[in-house]
C-alpha cells in the first residue's frame, strides 16, 4: 500500500491547467445561480445577496489567479495544486452551507475536484486532500446543525460523503498511477524505438548495397544514398519506380504476381550492371523491400580475393620452384657443352625452352607482390616513348617502321618509370603478336584525355581485335590465348596502372586490338 502513496512522477502541468478550466466553468455556474435564482440553475438555491456575490467573485478571482500561475509559473507544482484544492474545499463548502447543507447536493462537486487532484497529485497529498474536504464538510454540517437548524441525521450523510471523498481520492490515485506508469512505459518504448530507428537508418545509409522501400502501387517510399546514386532517384521520396527505373518496375510487377524470379539483372543509371532482390514485408500497408547489388563490385571483390590467393602463393613459389628450376637450367646448360647427337640437341632445346617459360611464369607471379611499390614521377612522354620504341624494336628484331609513334613535345605522365616500361612492353608485345607485322602494324599514340588533368596512351594494332566472348576475361589472371603465354601480362599491367593512379582499358568498339592507358598529367603527389 505504501508504493502507490510514495511513488511520484513528473509534474503534469497540462492536466493541471485543464483542471483549472473546469473550476473556472464551475465558478461561472455559481455566478449564474446567484444572478438568476429562478433560471435553470435555480435548483442550487443560492440567494442573490451581497455576501454570496462576494464569495463567488473571490472564488472566481482565486481560480483565475491559479490558472495564470499554472501557465506562466511552472514551479512548485504541489504547492499550487494543494492551494487550489484548499480553495475548492472552502468555497464549495460555503456554497453548500448557504444552499441548505448536505441536502443541497453541492458537496458532490468536491468529488470531482478530489478526483481530478488525485489524478495529477503526487504521493500522500491525495489523502491530505480527502481529509481536508472531509473536515470542511463535517465542520460545516455540524455548525449548521448547531446554528441553522439542520437535521441531526444530516451529519451521518456528511460522513457517508466524506467516506466517498477518501474512496474517490484512492481510486483516482490508483488510476492515475496506472495511467502515468503506462505513459512512462510508452515514452521509454518510444525513446527505444526512436533509438533503434536511428541506428537502423544509419546502418542502412552506410550499407554498400542499395535499399528501396516500394509501395504496392510502385511508389518509392524510402531509399538510402547508395540506391539514390544507382538509380538517380530524387532526394524526396514518392517518385514512381516506373519513371526512375522502368526495367526494375517491370521485374517487380512480374515478381509480385508470381510470374518472375526473386532477383533480376538490369542496368543502372551509369550503365553498371545491377542485381535486384525482392522481399515482402509484414507491414499493414504491404510495402516491398528491394535490395540492389552492384555486380561489378562483387566481381571486383572476387578479383581481390583471387589476387590475395596469388599473393599467398608467391612466397611458396619463390622457395619451392625457383631454386630447383635454376638447378635444372644450369644442368641443361652444362649438357649443351658436351657434343651429342641431333636428338639430344632437340631434347635440350625443349628442356631449355620450358625452363625459360617456367622462369617467366615465376617472375610474373613474383611481380604481383611488388606492384604497389610505385614511385611516380613526371615523365616526358615524347622522349620516354621514343626511347622505349627503339629498345623494343631492337629486342624483338623488327624493322623500324613496324611501330609508329604519335607523340608531341609537352605531354607528361605521372607514372613510375619501370612500371610504365613493363606496362608498355606487355601491351606492345601483345599488339605485335596479333598484328600483321607490316609497316605501321602497331601504333603508340599519346593523346589528351577526355577528363581534365588526364593523358592517354593508345596502343593499337591492325589485328582482328579481341573476340566478343573474351571481353570479360581479357584481364583475368592466367587467361591467355597464346600457347607460350602465362596469362598474367595484361593482369599485371592493369594492376601496375592502378598502383600509379591510372587505369588500363580496352576499347570495346574497336575492330582491332586497342588498349588505352589513362593517367594523370599533373604534378605527382
Amino acid at each position: 500500500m505504501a508504493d502507490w502513496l510514495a511513488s511520484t512522477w513528473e509534474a503534469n502541468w497540462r492536466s493541471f491547467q485543464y483542471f483549472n478550466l473546469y473550476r473556472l466553468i464551475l465558478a461561472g455556474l455559481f455566478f449564474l445561480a446567484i444572478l438568476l435564482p429562478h433560471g435553470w440553475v435555480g435548483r442550487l438555491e443560492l440567494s442573490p445577496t451581497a455576501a454570496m456575490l462576494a464569495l463567488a467573485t473571490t472564488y472566481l478571482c482565486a481560480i483565475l489567479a491559479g490558472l495564470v500561475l499554472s501557465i506562466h509559473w511552472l514551479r512548485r507544482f504541489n504547492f499550487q495544486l494543494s492551494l487550489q484544492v484548499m480553495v475548492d474545499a472552502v468555497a464549495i463548502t460555503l456554497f453548500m452551507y448557504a444552499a441548505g447543507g448536505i441536502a443541497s447536493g453541492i458537496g458532490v462537486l468536491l468529488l470531482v475536484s478530489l478526483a481530478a487532484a488525485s489524478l495529477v497529485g503526487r504521493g500522500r497529498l491525495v489523502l491530505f486532500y480527502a481529509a481536508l474536504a472531509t473536515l470542511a464538510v463535517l465542520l460545516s454540517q455540524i455548525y449548521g446543525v448547531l446554528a441553522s437548524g439542520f437535521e441531526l441525521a444530516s451529519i451521518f450523510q456528511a460522513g457517508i460523503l466524506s467516506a466517498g471523498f477518501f474512496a474517490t481520492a484512492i481510486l483516482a490515485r490508483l488510476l492515475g498511477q496506472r495511467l502515468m506508469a503506462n505513459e512512462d512505459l510508452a515514452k521509454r518504448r518510444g525513446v527505444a524505438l526512436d533509438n533503434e530507428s536511428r541506428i537502423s537508418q544509419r546502418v542502412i545509409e552506410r550499407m554498400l548495397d542499395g535499399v528501396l522501400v516500394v509501395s504496392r502501387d510502385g511508389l518509392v517510399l524510402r531509399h538510402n544514398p547508395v540506391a539514390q546514386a544507382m538509380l538517380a532517384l530524387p532526394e524526396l521520396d514518392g517518385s514512381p519506380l516506373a519513371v526512375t527505373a522502368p526495367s526494375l518496375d517491370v521485374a517487380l510487377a512480374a515478381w509480385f504476381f508470381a510470374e518472375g524470379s526473386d532477383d533480376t539483372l538490369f542496368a543502372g543509371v551509369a550503365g553498371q550492371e545491377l542485381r535486384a532482390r525482392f522481399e515482402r514485408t509484414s507491414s499493414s500497408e504491404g510495402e516491398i523491400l528491394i535490395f540492389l547489388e552492384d555486380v561489378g563490385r562483387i566481381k571486383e571483390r572476387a578479383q581481390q580475393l583471387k589476387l590475395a590467393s596469388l599473393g599467398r602463393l608467391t612466397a611458396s613459389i619463390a622457395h619451392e620452384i625457383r631454386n630447383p628450376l635454376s638447378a635444372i637450367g644450369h644442368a641443361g646448360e652444362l649438357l649443351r657443352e658436351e657434343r651429342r647427337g641431333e636428338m639430344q640437341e632437340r631434347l635440350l632445346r625443349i628442356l631449355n625452352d620450358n625452363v625459360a617459360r617456367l622462369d617467366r611464369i615465376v617472375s610474373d607471379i613474383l611481380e604481383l607482390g611488388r606492384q604497389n611499390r610505385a614511385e611516380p614521377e613526371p615523365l616526358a612522354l615524347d622522349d620516354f616513348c621514343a626511347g622505349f620504341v627503339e629498345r623494343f624494336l631492337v629486342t624483338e628484331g623488327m624493322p623500324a617502321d613496324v611501330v609508329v609513334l604519335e607523340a608531341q613535345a609537352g605531354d607528361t605522365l605521372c607514372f613510375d618509370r619501370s612500371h610504365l616500361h613493363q606496362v608498355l612492353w606487355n601491351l606492345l608485345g601483345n599488339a605485335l603478336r596479333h598484328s600483321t607485322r607490316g609497316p605501321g602494324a602497331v601504333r603508340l599514340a599519346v593523346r589528351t584525355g577526355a577528363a581534365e588533368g588526364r593523358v592517354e596512351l593508345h596502343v593499337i594494332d591492325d589485328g582482328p581485335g579481341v573476340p566478343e566472348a573474351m571481353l570479360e576475361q581479357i584481364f583475368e589472371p592466367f587467361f591467355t590465348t597464346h600457347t607460350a603465354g602465362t596469362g598474367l601480362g595484361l593482369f599485371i599491367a592493369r594492376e601496375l596502372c592502378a598502383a600509379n593512379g591510372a587505369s588500363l582499358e580496352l576499347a570495346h568498339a574497336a575492330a582491332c586490338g586497342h588498349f588505352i592507358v589513362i593517367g594523370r598529367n599533373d604534378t605527382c603527389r
Side-chain angles (χ1 to χ4, degrees), residues 46 87 134 158 202 293 314 346-347 419 422 426 466 468 481 494 496 502:
L46 297 177
V87 170
T134 297
R202 181 58 59 89
E293 298 175 337
T314 299
R346 189 168 65 86
L347 292 176
H419 286 181
Q422 185 175 353
N426 274 316
V466 181
E468 188 73 23
T481 59
R494 189 176 65 171
L496 290 176

Side-chain angles (χ1 to χ4, degrees), residues 169-238:
I170 294 173
L171 291 176
R173 169 64 178 181
L174 293 174
L175 178 60
Q177 185 181 26
R178 177 66 60 85
L179 292 176
M180 292 298 179
N182 290 337
E183 181 180 355
D184 181 66
L185 178 61
K187 184 183 297 184
R188 285 188 284 109
R189 287 182 175 177
V191 172
L193 183 61
D194 182 66
N195 291 336
E196 291 180 2
S197 177
R198 292 175 182 272
I199 294 173
S200 300
Q201 184 68 25
R202 181 58 59 89
V203 170
I204 292 175
E205 289 177 356
R206 298 296 182 183
M207 286 179 62
L208 297 179
D209 294 336
V211 180
L212 295 176
V213 181
V214 182
S215 64
R216 288 183 176 180
D217 52 357
L219 294 179
V220 179
L221 302 179
R222 288 179 295 279
H223 63 270
N224 67 344
V226 177
Q228 181 180 359
M230 287 179 173
L231 303 179
L233 295 171
E235 293 186 3
L236 298 177
D237 297 317

Side-chain angles (χ1 to χ4, degrees), residues 125-199:
L125 287 177
V126 295
L127 296 181
F128 168 72
Y129 301 151
L132 182 65
T134 297
L135 288 176
V137 170
L138 288 177
L139 290 176
S140 172
Q141 199 63 27
I142 292 173
Y143 181 79
V145 170
L146 297 176
S148 301
F150 292 170
E151 294 183 3
L152 186 62
S154 63
I155 297 179
F156 177 75
Q157 296 176 1
I160 296 297
L161 181 60
S162 299
F165 291 159
F166 281 93
T168 300
I170 294 173
L171 291 176
R173 169 64 178 181
L174 293 174
L175 178 60
Q177 185 181 26
R178 177 66 60 85
L179 292 176
M180 292 298 179
N182 290 337
E183 181 180 355
D184 181 66
L185 178 61
K187 184 183 297 184
R188 285 188 284 109
R189 287 182 175 177
V191 172
L193 183 61
D194 182 66
N195 291 336
E196 291 180 2
S197 177
R198 292 175 182 272
I199 294 173

Side-chain angles (χ1 to χ4, degrees), residues 26 30 33-34 43-47 52 55-56 59 87-111 132-145 148 150 154-155 157-159 161-162 165:
L26 183 63
F30 284 139
I34 295 172
R43 295 182 180 180
L44 294 179
E45 299 180 1
L46 297 177
S47 57
M52 293 304 297
L55 177 61
Y59 185 44
V87 170
D88 280 356
V90 173
I92 293 177
T93 300
L94 291 176
F95 283 123
M96 180 186 70
Y97 177 82
I102 195 71
S104 65
I106 294 179
V108 178
L109 295 175
L110 278 175
L111 291 173
L132 182 65
T134 297
L135 288 176
V137 170
L138 288 177
L139 290 176
S140 172
Q141 199 63 27
I142 292 173
Y143 181 79
V145 170
S148 301
F150 292 170
S154 63
I155 297 179
Q157 296 176 1
L161 181 60
S162 299
F165 291 159

Side-chain angles (χ1 to χ4, degrees), residues 66-86:
L67 179 60
V68 171
L69 281 177
S70 66
I71 294 175
H72 299 287
W73 193 57
L74 303 182
R75 299 178 183 176
R76 305 191 64 180
F77 179 81
N78 288 337
F79 173 75
Q80 292 193 41
L81 179 62
S82 302
L83 184 61
Q84 297 302 318
V85 171
M86 196 177 302

Side-chain angles (χ1 to χ4, degrees), residues 245-358:
S247 57
L248 181 59
D249 183 68
V250 172
L252 174 61
W255 170 82
F256 187 79
F257 294 105
E259 297 177 358
S261 60
D262 290 343
D263 57 19
T264 184
L265 295 176
F266 68 102
V269 66
Q272 72 272 37
E273 187 179 8
L274 303 178
R275 176 185 287 115
R277 292 188 296 107
F278 309 111
E279 289 188 13
R280 300 181 187 273
T281 62
S282 57
S283 64
S284 59
E285 299 297 329
E287 290 94 349
I288 300 169
L289 278 174
I290 303 179
F291 298 94
L292 303 178
E293 298 175 337
D294 190 341
V295 178
R297 184 173 58 84
I298 296 176
K299 292 180 178 179
E300 183 180 350
R301 289 175 60 188
Q303 185 77 3
Q304 292 174 353
L305 291 175
K306 191 177 298 184
L307 181 60
S309 300
L310 289 174
R312 289 191 295 268
L313 186 64
T314 299
S316 175
I317 290 176
H319 295 285
E320 301 297 332
I321 295 180
R322 202 160 205 184
N323 291 335
L325 189 62
S326 298
I328 294 172
H330 183 64
E333 292 295 332
L334 293 176
L335 288 174
R336 288 188 65 182
E337 294 179 359
E338 299 181 8
R339 293 183 175 273
R340 295 180 180 275
E342 183 179 350
M343 176 62 69
Q344 285 79 7
E345 290 292 337
R346 189 168 65 86
L347 292 176
L348 285 173
R349 282 197 301 271
I350 294 174
L351 175 64
N352 290 330
D353 289 344
N354 283 278
V355 167
R357 182 182 177 186
L358 288 174

